[in-house]
């Protein structure tokens, strides 16, 4: 494990009890995360992108043990989180925190903002005399006035409330933040403001982010590296620019086709994303994307492709990734950035 690796995740699985019977009457667990391995480097923003239901939120929560993993290993600075009791984990919890999607539902409407920000400080034993000063610092850091502490969540706009959510995540001085769709519930006009605030705080405080989003424009705006998730597994990962310039997995290519382009004369390519995401309790055999992939051949239905390095720093789980690398012209379909 290199010095710059904060999190090391290996073959992580998170399965949930069966929700329903399959056509054959069988009940199988929902494999929300099903064998995911990756590293997060200190100071980077790793974007995790995929359609709704692909398991990305479950991955983020399991990684910091808000959910218990079914199997696999999670190392934080070399220490195995999966082997720790809740008591052993508590001092580490202040070092990794979470920003939730919808601040309206994640912040208690009966608490003042001051009380909301004090709550994690109380849990972790911060002295009363220090708490007031910390709340003031936090409000200042996220661009809210000091008197915001006296107000209640319903008195704020969505963008202001997400600033409160960010301030709460920062309360204990974490180093690693899981941001789960942090701007999905906000108007386009304020998305860029909140993302820019996250970038400023990252630079100022030396934070590392795992950014979970379904919107490729949001991920592109803020991420250094991007990993693409489909039906509980990673199918592609690369530096942001490499991935957006030349995606090598047909699923990533299809996601990029779905981005509306501001210029009607430009085309993003020819890989339409068709059909629905299959049931994660009954995923397709071999390559899980074969039921929706326009390039599927017999081998795709018979053999699971390895998630392997196709070029330096760029991994993909597709039998034909090398062929796409050799053939494909760069897509050049950069997404419109939030607020642009
Ligand atoms: Fe498509 Fe086959 Fe590649 Fe899967 S392995 S993404 S089905 S071409």
């Amino acid at each position: 494990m290199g010095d710059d690796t904060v999190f090391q995740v290996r073959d992580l699985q998170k399965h949930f009890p069966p929700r329903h019977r399959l056509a054959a009457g069988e009940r199988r667990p929902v494999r929300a995360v099903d064998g995911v391995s990756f590293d997060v480097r200190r100071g980077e923003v790793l974007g995790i992108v995929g359609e709704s239901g692909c398991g990305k939120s479950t991955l983020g929560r399991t990684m910091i043990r808000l959910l218990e993993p079914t199997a696999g290993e999670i190392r934080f600075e070399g220490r195995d989180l999966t082997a720790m009791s809740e008591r052993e984990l508590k001092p580490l919890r202040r070092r990794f925190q979470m920003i939730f999607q919808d601040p309206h539902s994640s912040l208690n409407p009966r608490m003042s903002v001051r009380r909301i920000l004090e709550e994690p400080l109380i849990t972790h034993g911060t002295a009363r005399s220090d708490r007031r000063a910390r709340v003031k610092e936090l409000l200042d850091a996220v661009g809210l006035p000091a008197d915001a502490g006296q107000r209640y969540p319903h008195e704020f706009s969505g963008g202001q409330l997400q600033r409160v959510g960010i301030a709460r995540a920062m309360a204990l001085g974490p180093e690693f933040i899981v941001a789960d769709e942090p701007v999905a519930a906000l108007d386009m006009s304020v998305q860029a403001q909140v993302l820019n605030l996250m970038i400023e705080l990252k630079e100022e405080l030396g934070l590392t982010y795992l950014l979970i989003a379904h919107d490729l424009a949001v991920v592109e705006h803020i991420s250094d590296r991007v990993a693409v998730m489909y039906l509980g597994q990673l199918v592609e990962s690369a530096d942001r620019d490499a991935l957006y310039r030349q995606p090598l997995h047909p699923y990533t290519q299809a996601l990029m086709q779905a981005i509306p382009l501001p210029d009607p004369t430009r085309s993003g390519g020819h890989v339409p994303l068709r059909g629905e995401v299959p049931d994660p309790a009954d995923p397709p055999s071999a390559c899980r994307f074969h039921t929706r992939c326009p390039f599927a051949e017999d081998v795709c239905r018979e053999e699971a492709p390895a998630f392997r390095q196709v070029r330096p720093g760029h991994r993909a789980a597709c039998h034909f990734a090398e062929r796409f690398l050799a053939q494909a012209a760069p897509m050049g379909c950069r997404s419109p950035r939030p607020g642009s």
Side-chain angles (χ1 to χ4, degrees):
M1 184 163 167
D3 282 350
D4 69 339
T5 303
V6 183
F7 265 95
Q8 192 177 47
V9 175
R10 292 292 176 268
D11 201 19
L12 187 64
Q13 296 178 32
K14 177 61 189 175
H15 297 176
F16 293 103
R19 282 189 302 221
H20 54 258
R21 284 183 198 283
L22 303 176
E26 204 181 338
R27 292 173 75 93
R28 290 195 201 155
V30 176
R31 302 194 220 168
V33 175
D34 204 21
V36 169
S37 300
F38 62 98
D39 292 346
V40 185
R41 301 172 195 149
R42 194 176 303 283
E44 76 170 348
V45 181
L46 175 62
I48 304 281
V49 71
E51 288 166 285
S52 175
C54 71
K56 54 192 189 305
S57 292
T58 303
L59 172 64
R61 285 169 161 79
T62 308
M63 219 178 129
I64 56 173
R65 275 197 55 189
L66 291 182
L67 292 172
E68 286 302 313
T70 304
E73 192 175 271
I74 308 160
R75 290 191 174 273
F76 175 66
E77 295 179 342
R79 301 173 66 183
D80 186 359
L81 298 188
T82 47
M84 287 184 188
S85 65
E86 193 51 48
R87 195 159 162 229
E88 290 169 314
L89 206 53
K90 188 176 174 188
L92 283 179
R93 284 213 179 276
R94 63 186 309 147
R95 300 179 62 190
F96 34 84
Q97 294 288 317
M98 185 136 187
I99 299 170
F100 294 93
Q101 174 176 350
D102 184 358
H104 290 99
S105 58
S106 64
L107 301 176
N108 189 333
R110 286 188 289 274
M111 284 185 181
S112 68
V113 164
R114 180 180 61 76
R115 186 77 177 86
I116 286 169
L117 297 182
E118 277 190 344
E119 204 181 28
L121 300 171
I122 293 168
T123 305
H124 284 263
T126 306
R128 189 189 180 104
S129 53
D130 295 335
R131 292 201 299 260
R132 289 287 164 99
R134 182 67 181 142
V135 167
K136 195 164 172 297
E137 258 175 36
L138 289 165
L139 290 171
D140 188 48
V142 299
L144 291 172
D147 66 0
Q150 318 309 320
R151 291 152 58 192
Y152 285 78
H154 72 271
E155 298 176 67
F156 293 88
S157 67
Q160 288 172 326
L161 210 50
Q162 192 55 302
R163 287 173 187 266
V164 176
I166 292 171
R168 186 178 64 173
M170 301 294 166
L172 295 167
E175 295 146 54
F176 178 76
I177 306 269
V178 174
D180 186 5
E181 300 276 12
V183 296
L186 306 179
D187 292 342
M188 275 293 277
S189 58
V190 293
Q191 286 189 1
Q193 292 170 21
V194 171
L195 290 174
N196 290 338
L197 170 66
M198 288 176 60
I199 295 170
E200 281 166 30
L201 291 170
K202 171 188 173 302
E203 300 300 327
E204 205 176 304
L205 305 172
L207 301 171
T208 303
Y209 288 127
L210 186 84
L211 172 73
I212 294 163
H214 69 281
D215 184 331
L216 273 83
V218 166
V219 170
E220 186 185 7
H221 186 68
I222 189 173
S223 302
D224 300 300
R225 286 193 304 136
V226 178
V228 182
M229 199 164 173
Y230 184 74
L231 265 187
Q233 298 181 332
L234 295 189
V235 296
E236 184 160 9
S237 69
D239 287 346
R240 174 193 61 183
D241 290 345
L243 188 122
Y244 278 75
R245 195 179 318 117
Q246 193 175 14
L248 299 179
H249 193 284
Y251 178 59
T252 314
Q253 294 168 10
L255 285 180
M256 291 200 180
Q257 305 314 304
I259 301 173
L261 295 174
D263 179 351
T265 64
R266 290 174 64 199
S267 163
H270 306 284
V271 189
L273 187 56
R274 54 189 189 190
E276 297 296 317
V277 180
D279 184 349
D282 189 24
S285 61
C287 175
R288 293 186 177 185
F289 190 54
H290 82 250
T291 53
R292 303 172 78 193
C293 181
F295 305 109
E297 296 186 15
D298 287 348
V299 66
C300 307
R301 290 177 272 274
E302 291 159 6
E303 202 179 307
F307 185 50
R308 66 194 183 284
Q309 181 156 286
V310 182
R311 60 179 166 185
H314 197 152
R315 298 164 77 88
C318 172
H319 289 302
F320 308 123
E322 286 80 2
R323 192 193 294 172
F324 293 131
L325 176 63
Q327 290 175 350
M331 292 179 74
C333 60
R334 305 297 294 240
S335 50
R337 289 166 190 264
S340 64

